[in-house]
Coordinates of all heavy atoms in Angstrom, one line a residue:
M1 N 217.7 113.4 173.9 CA 218.0 114.6 174.7 C 219.5 114.9 174.6 O 220.3 114.0 174.6 CB 217.6 114.4 176.1 CG 216.1 114.2 176.3 SD 215.0 115.5 175.8 CE 215.2 116.6 177.2
R2 N 219.8 116.2 174.5 CA 221.2 116.6 174.5 C 221.5 117.5 175.7 O 220.7 118.4 176.0 CB 221.5 117.3 173.2 CG 221.3 116.5 171.9 CD 222.4 115.4 171.8 NE 223.7 115.9 171.6 CZ 224.3 116.2 170.5 NH1 223.7 116.0 169.3 NH2 225.5 116.6 170.5
E3 N 222.6 117.3 176.3 CA 223.0 118.2 177.4 C 223.5 119.5 176.9 O 224.4 119.6 176.0 CB 224.1 117.5 178.2 CG 224.5 118.3 179.5 CD 225.5 117.6 180.3 OE1 225.9 116.5 180.0 OE2 225.9 118.2 181.3
L4 N 222.9 120.6 177.3 CA 223.2 121.9 176.9 C 224.2 122.6 177.8 O 225.2 123.2 177.4 CB 221.9 122.7 176.7 CG 221.9 124.0 176.0 CD1 222.3 123.8 174.5 CD2 220.6 124.7 176.1
V5 N 223.9 122.6 179.1 CA 224.6 123.3 180.1 C 224.7 122.4 181.4 O 223.8 121.7 181.7 CB 224.0 124.6 180.5 CG1 224.7 125.3 181.7 CG2 223.9 125.6 179.3
R6 N 225.9 122.4 182.0 CA 226.1 121.8 183.3 C 226.8 122.8 184.2 O 227.9 123.2 183.9 CB 226.9 120.5 183.2 CG 227.1 119.8 184.5 CD 228.1 118.6 184.3 NE 227.6 117.6 183.4 CZ 228.1 116.5 183.1 NH1 229.2 116.1 183.7 NH2 227.6 115.7 182.2
T7 N 226.1 123.1 185.3 CA 226.7 124.1 186.2 C 226.0 123.9 187.6 O 225.0 123.4 187.8 CB 226.4 125.5 185.7 OG1 227.1 126.5 186.6 CG2 224.9 125.8 185.6
N8 N 226.7 124.5 188.6 CA 226.1 124.6 189.9 C 225.8 126.0 190.3 O 225.4 126.4 191.4 CB 227.0 124.0 191.0 CG 228.4 124.6 191.0 OD1 228.7 125.5 190.3 ND2 229.3 124.0 191.9
D9 N 225.8 126.9 189.3 CA 225.4 128.3 189.4 C 223.9 128.4 189.2 O 223.4 128.4 188.1 CB 226.2 129.1 188.4 CG 225.9 130.6 188.5 OD1 224.9 131.0 189.1 OD2 226.8 131.4 187.9
V10 N 223.2 128.6 190.3 CA 221.7 128.7 190.2 C 221.2 129.9 189.4 O 220.2 129.9 188.8 CB 221.0 128.6 191.6 CG1 221.3 127.3 192.3 CG2 221.5 129.7 192.5
V11 N 222.0 131.0 189.5 CA 221.6 132.2 188.7 C 221.7 131.9 187.2 O 220.8 132.3 186.4 CB 222.4 133.4 189.1 CG1 222.1 134.6 188.2 CG2 222.2 133.7 190.6
L12 N 222.8 131.2 186.8 CA 223.0 130.9 185.4 C 221.9 129.9 185.0 O 221.3 130.1 183.9 CB 224.3 130.2 185.2 CG 224.6 129.7 183.8 CD1 224.5 130.8 182.7 CD2 226.0 129.0 183.7
M13 N 221.5 128.9 185.8 CA 220.5 128.0 185.5 C 219.2 128.7 185.3 O 218.4 128.4 184.3 CB 220.3 127.0 186.6 CG 221.5 126.0 186.8 SD 221.7 124.9 185.4 CE 220.3 123.8 185.6
S14 N 218.9 129.7 186.1 CA 217.6 130.5 186.0 C 217.6 131.3 184.7 O 216.6 131.3 184.0 CB 217.5 131.4 187.2 OG 216.4 132.2 187.1
A15 N 218.8 131.9 184.4 CA 218.9 132.7 183.2 C 218.7 131.9 181.9 O 218.0 132.2 181.0 CB 220.2 133.4 183.1
V16 N 219.4 130.7 181.9 CA 219.3 129.8 180.7 C 217.8 129.3 180.6 O 217.3 129.3 179.5 CB 220.3 128.6 180.8 CG1 220.0 127.6 179.8 CG2 221.7 129.1 180.7
G17 N 217.2 128.9 181.7 CA 215.8 128.5 181.7 C 214.9 129.6 181.1 O 214.0 129.3 180.3
A18 N 215.1 130.8 181.6 CA 214.3 131.9 181.1 C 214.5 132.2 179.6 O 213.5 132.4 178.9 CB 214.6 133.2 181.9
L19 N 215.7 132.1 179.1 CA 216.0 132.3 177.7 C 215.3 131.2 176.9 O 214.6 131.5 175.9 CB 217.5 132.2 177.4 CG 218.3 133.5 177.8 CD1 219.8 133.2 177.8 CD2 217.9 134.6 176.9
L20 N 215.4 129.9 177.3 CA 214.8 128.8 176.6 C 213.3 128.9 176.6 O 212.6 128.7 175.6 CB 215.3 127.5 177.2 CG 216.7 127.2 177.0 CD1 217.1 125.9 177.8 CD2 217.1 127.0 175.5
D21 N 212.7 129.3 177.8 CA 211.3 129.5 177.9 C 210.8 130.6 176.9 O 209.8 130.4 176.3 CB 210.9 129.8 179.3 CG 210.9 128.7 180.3 OD1 210.9 127.5 179.8 OD2 211.0 128.9 181.5
G22 N 211.5 131.7 176.9 CA 211.2 132.8 176.1 C 211.2 132.5 174.6 O 210.5 133.0 173.8
A23 N 212.1 131.5 174.2 CA 212.2 131.1 172.8 C 211.3 129.9 172.6 O 211.3 129.3 171.5 CB 213.6 130.7 172.5
N24 N 210.5 129.5 173.6 CA 209.6 128.3 173.5 C 210.4 127.0 173.1 O 209.9 126.2 172.3 CB 208.5 128.6 172.5 CG 207.3 127.7 172.7 OD1 207.1 127.2 173.8 ND2 206.6 127.4 171.7
I25 N 211.5 126.9 173.7 CA 212.3 125.7 173.6 C 212.2 124.9 174.9 O 212.6 125.3 175.9 CB 213.8 126.0 173.3 CG1 214.0 126.7 172.0 CG2 214.7 124.7 173.3 CD1 215.4 127.2 171.7
H26 N 211.5 123.7 174.8 CA 211.3 122.9 175.9 C 212.6 122.3 176.4 O 213.4 121.9 175.6 CB 210.3 121.8 175.6 CG 209.0 122.4 175.2 ND1 208.1 122.9 176.1 CD2 208.4 122.4 174.0 CE1 207.0 123.3 175.4 NE2 207.2 123.0 174.1
H27 N 212.8 122.3 177.7 CA 214.0 121.8 178.3 C 213.7 121.0 179.6 O 212.6 121.2 180.2 CB 215.0 122.9 178.6 CG 214.4 124.0 179.5 ND1 213.5 124.9 179.1 CD2 214.7 124.2 180.8 CE1 213.3 125.7 180.2 NE2 213.9 125.3 181.2
L28 N 214.7 120.3 180.0 CA 214.6 119.5 181.2 C 215.8 119.8 182.1 O 216.9 119.8 181.6 CB 214.6 118.0 180.8 CG 214.5 117.0 181.9 CD1 213.1 117.1 182.7 CD2 214.6 115.6 181.3
V29 N 215.5 120.1 183.4 CA 216.6 120.3 184.4 C 216.7 119.0 185.2 O 215.8 118.6 185.8 CB 216.3 121.5 185.3 CG1 217.4 121.7 186.3 CG2 216.1 122.8 184.5
L30 N 217.9 118.5 185.1 CA 218.2 117.2 185.9 C 219.1 117.6 187.1 O 219.9 118.5 187.0 CB 218.9 116.2 185.0 CG 218.1 115.7 183.8 CD1 219.0 114.7 183.0 CD2 216.8 115.1 184.3
D31 N 219.0 116.8 188.1 CA 219.9 116.8 189.3 C 219.6 118.0 190.2 O 220.4 118.4 191.0 CB 221.4 116.8 188.9 CG 221.7 115.6 188.1 OD1 221.1 114.5 188.3 OD2 222.6 115.8 187.2
S32 N 218.4 118.7 190.0 CA 218.1 119.8 190.8 C 217.8 119.5 192.2 O 218.0 120.3 193.1 CB 216.9 120.6 190.2 OG 215.8 119.8 190.2
N33 N 217.5 118.3 192.5 CA 217.3 117.8 193.9 C 218.5 117.1 194.5 O 218.3 116.6 195.6 CB 216.0 116.9 194.0 CG 214.8 117.7 193.6 OD1 214.6 118.8 194.0 ND2 213.9 117.1 192.9
M34 N 219.6 117.2 193.9 CA 220.8 116.5 194.4 C 221.4 117.3 195.6 O 222.2 116.8 196.3 CB 221.8 116.4 193.3 CG 221.5 115.4 192.2 SD 221.1 113.7 192.9 CE 222.8 113.2 193.3
S35 N 220.8 118.5 195.9 CA 221.3 119.2 197.0 C 221.1 118.4 198.3 O 221.8 118.6 199.3 CB 220.7 120.6 197.1 OG 219.3 120.4 197.3
I36 N 220.2 117.5 198.3 CA 219.9 116.7 199.5 C 221.2 115.8 199.7 O 221.6 115.6 200.8 CB 218.7 115.8 199.2 CG1 217.5 116.6 199.2 CG2 218.6 114.7 200.3 CD1 216.2 115.9 198.7
M37 N 221.8 115.4 198.6 CA 223.0 114.5 198.7 C 224.2 115.3 199.1 O 225.1 114.8 199.8 CB 223.3 113.8 197.4 CG 222.1 112.9 196.9 SD 221.8 111.6 198.0 CE 223.2 110.6 197.7
D38 N 224.3 116.6 198.7 CA 225.6 117.3 199.0 C 225.4 118.3 200.2 O 226.2 119.2 200.4 CB 226.1 118.0 197.8 CG 225.3 119.2 197.3 OD1 224.3 119.6 198.0 OD2 225.6 119.7 196.2
G39 N 224.3 118.1 200.9 CA 224.0 118.9 202.1 C 223.7 120.4 201.8 O 224.0 121.3 202.5
S40 N 223.1 120.6 200.6 CA 222.7 122.0 200.2 C 223.9 122.9 200.0 O 223.7 124.1 200.0 CB 221.7 122.6 201.1 OG 220.5 121.8 201.2
L41 N 225.0 122.3 199.7 CA 226.2 123.2 199.5 C 226.3 123.6 198.0 O 227.1 124.5 197.7 CB 227.5 122.4 199.8 CG 227.6 122.0 201.3 CD1 228.9 121.1 201.5 CD2 227.7 123.2 202.2
G42 N 225.6 123.0 197.1 CA 225.6 123.4 195.7 C 226.9 122.9 195.0 O 227.3 123.4 194.0
V43 N 227.4 121.8 195.5 CA 228.7 121.2 194.9 C 228.4 120.4 193.7 O 229.1 120.4 192.7 CB 229.4 120.3 196.0 CG1 230.6 119.6 195.4 CG2 229.8 121.1 197.2
L44 N 227.2 119.7 193.7 CA 226.9 118.9 192.5 C 226.2 119.7 191.4 O 225.3 120.4 191.7 CB 226.0 117.7 193.0 CG 226.6 116.8 194.0 CD1 225.5 115.8 194.5 CD2 227.8 116.1 193.5
P45 N 226.7 119.6 190.2 CA 226.2 120.5 189.1 C 224.8 120.0 188.7 O 224.5 118.8 188.8 CB 227.2 120.3 188.0 CG 227.9 119.0 188.3 CD 227.9 118.8 189.8
R46 N 224.0 120.9 188.2 CA 222.7 120.6 187.6 C 222.9 120.7 186.1 O 223.8 121.3 185.6 CB 221.7 121.7 188.0 CG 221.1 121.6 189.4 CD 222.1 121.7 190.4 NE 221.5 121.8 191.8 CZ 222.2 121.8 192.9 NH1 223.5 121.6 192.8 NH2 221.6 121.9 194.0
R47 N 222.0 119.9 185.4 CA 222.2 119.9 183.9 C 220.9 120.3 183.3 O 219.8 120.0 183.8 CB 222.5 118.4 183.5 CG 223.8 117.9 184.1 CD 224.0 116.5 183.7 NE 223.1 115.6 184.5 CZ 222.7 114.4 184.2 NH1 223.2 113.9 183.1 NH2 221.9 113.7 185.0
I48 N 221.0 121.0 182.2 CA 219.9 121.4 181.3 C 220.0 120.6 180.0 O 221.0 120.7 179.4 CB 219.8 122.9 181.1 CG1 219.6 123.7 182.4 CG2 218.7 123.2 180.0 CD1 219.5 125.2 182.2
L49 N 218.9 119.9 179.7 CA 218.9 119.1 178.5 C 217.8 119.6 177.6 O 216.7 120.1 178.1 CB 218.6 117.6 178.8 CG 219.8 116.8 179.3 CD1 220.2 117.2 180.6 CD2 219.4 115.3 179.2
V50 N 218.0 119.6 176.3 CA 217.0 119.9 175.3 C 216.9 118.8 174.3 O 217.7 117.9 174.2 CB 217.4 121.2 174.5 CG1 217.4 122.4 175.4 CG2 218.7 121.1 173.8
H51 N 215.7 118.7 173.6 CA 215.5 117.7 172.6 C 216.5 117.8 171.5 O 216.9 119.0 171.2 CB 214.1 117.8 172.1 CG 213.7 116.6 171.3 ND1 213.9 116.5 170.0 CD2 213.0 115.4 171.7 CE1 213.5 115.4 169.5 NE2 212.9 114.7 170.5
E52 N 216.9 116.8 170.9 CA 217.8 116.7 169.8 C 217.4 117.7 168.7 O 218.2 118.4 168.1 CB 217.9 115.3 169.2 CG 218.9 115.2 168.1 CD 220.3 115.2 168.5 OE1 220.6 114.7 169.6 OE2 221.1 115.7 167.8
D53 N 216.1 117.8 168.4 CA 215.6 118.7 167.4 C 215.8 120.2 167.7 O 215.8 121.0 166.8 CB 214.1 118.4 167.1 CG 213.9 117.0 166.5 OD1 214.9 116.4 166.0 OD2 212.7 116.6 166.6
D54 N 215.9 120.5 169.0 CA 216.0 121.9 169.4 C 217.5 122.3 169.8 O 217.7 123.4 170.2 CB 215.1 122.1 170.7 CG 213.7 122.0 170.3 OD1 213.3 122.4 169.2 OD2 212.9 121.5 171.2
N55 N 218.4 121.3 169.7 CA 219.7 121.5 170.2 C 220.4 122.7 169.5 O 221.0 123.6 170.1 CB 220.5 120.2 170.0 CG 221.9 120.3 170.5 OD1 222.1 120.9 171.6 ND2 222.9 119.9 169.8
L56 N 220.4 122.8 168.1 CA 221.0 123.8 167.4 C 220.4 125.2 167.7 O 221.1 126.2 167.9 CB 221.0 123.6 165.9 CG 221.9 122.4 165.5 CD1 221.8 122.2 164.0 CD2 223.4 122.6 165.9
A57 N 219.1 125.3 167.8 CA 218.4 126.5 168.1 C 218.8 127.0 169.5 O 219.0 128.2 169.7 CB 216.9 126.4 167.9
A58 N 218.8 126.1 170.4 CA 219.2 126.4 171.8 C 220.6 126.9 171.9 O 220.9 127.9 172.6 CB 218.9 125.2 172.7
R59 N 221.5 126.2 171.2 CA 222.9 126.7 171.2 C 223.1 128.0 170.6 O 223.8 128.9 171.1 CB 223.8 125.6 170.5 CG 223.9 124.3 171.2 CD 224.7 123.3 170.5 NE 225.1 122.3 171.4 CZ 226.1 122.3 172.3 NH1 226.9 123.4 172.3 NH2 226.3 121.4 173.1
R60 N 222.4 128.3 169.6 CA 222.4 129.6 168.9 C 221.9 130.7 169.8 O 222.5 131.7 169.9 CB 221.7 129.5 167.6 CG 221.8 130.7 166.7 CD 221.2 130.6 165.3 NE 220.1 129.5 165.3 CZ 220.2 128.4 164.6 NH1 221.2 128.2 163.8 NH2 219.3 127.5 164.6
L61 N 220.8 130.4 170.5 CA 220.2 131.3 171.4 C 221.2 131.7 172.6 O 221.4 132.9 172.9 CB 218.9 130.7 172.0 CG 218.2 131.5 173.1 CD1 217.6 132.8 172.5 CD2 217.1 130.7 173.8
L62 N 221.8 130.7 173.2 CA 222.7 131.0 174.3 C 224.0 131.7 173.7 O 224.6 132.5 174.4 CB 223.1 129.7 175.0 CG 221.9 129.0 175.7 CD1 222.4 127.8 176.6 CD2 221.2 130.0 176.6
T63 N 224.4 131.3 172.6 CA 225.6 132.0 172.0 C 225.3 133.5 171.7 O 226.1 134.3 172.1 CB 226.0 131.3 170.6 OG1 226.4 130.0 170.9 CG2 227.2 132.0 170.0
D64 N 224.1 133.7 171.2 CA 223.7 135.1 170.9 C 223.5 135.9 172.3 O 223.7 137.1 172.3 CB 222.4 135.2 170.2 CG 222.5 134.7 168.7 OD1 223.6 134.6 168.3 OD2 221.4 134.4 168.1
A65 N 223.2 135.2 173.3 CA 223.1 135.8 174.7 C 224.4 136.0 175.4 O 224.5 136.4 176.5 CB 222.1 135.0 175.5
G66 N 225.5 135.6 174.7 CA 226.8 135.7 175.3 C 227.2 134.6 176.3 O 228.1 134.7 177.1
L67 N 226.5 133.5 176.2 CA 226.8 132.4 177.1 C 227.4 131.1 176.4 O 227.3 130.0 176.9 CB 225.4 131.9 177.7 CG 224.8 133.0 178.6 CD1 223.4 132.6 179.1 CD2 225.7 133.3 179.8
A68 N 228.0 131.4 175.3 CA 228.6 130.3 174.5 C 229.7 129.5 175.3 O 229.8 128.3 175.2 CB 229.3 130.8 173.2
H69 N 230.4 130.2 176.2 CA 231.4 129.6 177.1 C 230.8 128.6 178.1 O 231.5 127.8 178.6 CB 232.2 130.6 177.8 CG 231.4 131.5 178.7 ND1 230.6 132.5 178.3 CD2 231.3 131.4 180.1 CE1 230.0 133.1 179.3 NE2 230.4 132.4 180.4
E70 N 229.5 128.6 178.3 CA 228.8 127.7 179.2 C 228.3 126.5 178.6 O 227.9 125.5 179.3 CB 227.6 128.4 179.9 CG 228.0 129.7 180.7 CD 228.8 129.3 182.0 OE1 228.9 128.1 182.4 OE2 229.4 130.3 182.6
L71 N 228.3 126.4 177.2 CA 227.8 125.3 176.5 C 228.7 124.1 176.7 O 229.9 124.2 176.6 CB 227.6 125.6 175.0 CG 226.5 126.6 174.7 CD1 226.6 127.1 173.3 CD2 225.1 126.1 175.0
R72 N 228.0 122.9 176.8 CA 228.8 121.6 176.8 C 229.2 121.3 175.4 O 228.6 121.8 174.4 CB 227.9 120.5 177.3 CG 227.4 120.7 178.7 CD 228.5 120.6 179.7 NE 228.9 119.2 179.8 CZ 229.9 118.8 180.6 NH1 230.6 119.7 181.3 NH2 230.3 117.6 180.6
D73 N 230.2 120.5 175.2 CA 230.6 120.1 173.9 C 229.5 119.4 173.1 O 228.7 118.7 173.7 CB 231.8 119.1 174.0 CG 233.1 119.7 174.4 OD1 233.2 121.0 174.3 OD2 233.9 119.0 174.9
N74 N 229.4 119.7 171.9 CA 228.3 119.2 171.0 C 228.8 118.0 170.3 O 229.0 118.0 169.1 CB 227.9 120.3 170.0 CG 226.6 120.0 169.4 OD1 225.8 119.1 169.8 ND2 226.3 120.7 168.3
D75 N 229.0 116.9 171.0 CA 229.5 115.7 170.4 C 228.5 114.8 169.9 O 227.4 114.7 169.9 CB 230.4 114.9 171.4 CG 229.9 114.8 172.8 OD1 228.7 115.0 173.0 OD2 230.7 114.6 173.7

């Protein structure tokens, strides 16, 4: 699994999830329940991961959608 996006912006998370769903790219959202730890303040970022095989397609999709600045480094 490769980390695609890390953010505490729930609107961005929803948009990225919708784009990935629309392209039939399976993804996993981690840390979505961490709000219990931060008192629902949204301080702790959530992460979207994709399978290694889908990483390039997902990055291209988000870049085409104007979200390249939100992508994590592809190391």
Side-chain angles (χ1 to χ4, degrees):
M1 297 295 282
R2 299 291 297 265
E3 185 176 357
L4 193 63
V5 174
R6 181 184 300 184
T7 184
N8 55 5
D9 182 340
V10 294
V11 175
L12 175 62
M13 293 294 287
S14 178
V16 170
L19 286 167
L20 293 171
D21 286 341
N24 201 27
I25 297 174
H26 298 287
H27 61 280
L28 179 64
V29 178
L30 297 180
D31 306 324
S32 61
N33 293 320
M34 291 301 291
S35 63
I36 295 168
M37 300 297 290
D38 70 10
S40 298
L41 296 174
V43 175
L44 299 173
R46 280 65 170 170
R47 297 175 288 157
I48 294 182
L49 280 69
V50 295
H51 192 273
E52 181 75 33
D53 295 343
D54 295 323
N55 186 43
L56 291 177
R59 288 178 167 279
R60 190 173 20 244
L61 176 69
L62 294 186
T63 298
D64 291 347
L67 298 172
H69 62 282
E70 299 290 348
L71 292 170
R72 299 292 290 177
D73 289 337
N74 194 16
D75 41 22

